[in-house]
Structure formats: C-alpha cells, structure tokens
Amino acid sequence: MSDTTAHVKKPGWFTVHVMNRSVAWLTRRGISVWGSRVLAVRGRKSGEWRTTPVNVLTHDGDRYLVAPRGHVQWTRNMRAVGGGELHLGKHVEPFTATEVADDAKADVLRAYLKRWKAEVGVFFAGVGPDSTDEELRAVAHKHPVFRITAAPNA
C-alpha cells in the first residue's frame, strides 16, 4: 500500500470554488462531464457520507478511481471502508474498491492522463500519457488508484 503521508498538492481557489462545484452541480443533475460522478464514501471516523466529484476511468474492461491530488480524505476513507457510491443524477451505484499496487499502476495512470491531463496534469510533476512505464512508476506512490466493482445486489 502507498505511503499515506505523501505530500498532497491542494487545488487552487478556482478549482475548488468554480470547477469542482460546477462539475458536481451538473453531475448531480445527471449530466456527466467526461465521465464525472459524485463519489460518496463514509467517513472513517464519523461514519457520515462525504462527497466529492471524481472522474471514473474505464480501462481494459475495468473501472478505476484515480486520486490525482494524492492521498486525500476520500482515499483514506476508501481504504478504511472498502467502497462507496457513485452518483449521476438520481442514479446511485454502490461499489466495492480494491487499491491497486504501485507497481501495477503505470497503464492505468497513462490512460487517466491521456483522457484528463489538461485537467489534472499539474498534479503529476511533468509526467504525462507519453511517459515511460518507469517514469509513471516513479510517481505512482503519490497517486492512489482503486479498481471499482459494482457491489452485489446493486
């Protein structure tokens, strides 16, 4: 598992107050922006639902959540509870999550950056979709990745 004390690059004011809120507002109304969903995960201490907008990546038949900003609260909660819900409008999809080992992240990170580099590239310290596996593995510990699977009886 990744070091949860790794440095987190916090998003700027515009991202937090304009972009995240706009994407979340649209997603809550059923409009997906490039794969956006509202992630709901129970707090590891409070047990209360916490939400944040995320991009769901489909790669080689599996679906993933990538944390471009690093080891943030939703990743810590996901590790503790092992799943959550993805919301798109009124549709709610419960899921389970398995964290991907750092050595196995290169292809997923490459696919994620290919799709969303313009949005999240600043958080990857110069690494992009054309980077080598070695370069991607060098930053993998900074970016948690979870493979998600629809929960039974969902």
Side-chain angles (χ1 to χ4, degrees), residues 69-116:
R69 292 177 182 90
H71 298 270
V72 293
Q73 294 302 323
W74 75 259
T75 64
R76 293 178 180 106
N77 291 338
M78 188 76 69
R79 282 186 194 107
V81 301
E85 297 176 345
L86 293 172
H87 295 248
L88 179 59
K90 293 181 181 182
H91 179 74
V92 177
E93 178 189 356
F95 67 89
T96 59
T98 305
E99 190 161 7
V100 176
D102 291 344
D103 287 344
K105 292 179 186 176
D107 286 342
V108 174
L109 292 176
R110 181 176 291 109
Y112 188 83
L113 287 165
K114 185 175 185 180
R115 177 134 187 177
W116 290 292

Side-chain angles (χ1 to χ4, degrees), residues 25-52:
W25 186 86
L26 289 167
T27 304
R28 284 186 182 103
R29 280 147 187 83
I31 301 168
S32 178
V33 180
W34 284 71
S36 66
R37 298 291 186 275
V38 173
L39 169 66
V41 180
R42 288 204 180 267
R44 62 194 179 281
K45 296 176 184 174
S46 70
E48 295 179 20
W49 287 101
R50 305 294 184 192
T51 61
T52 191

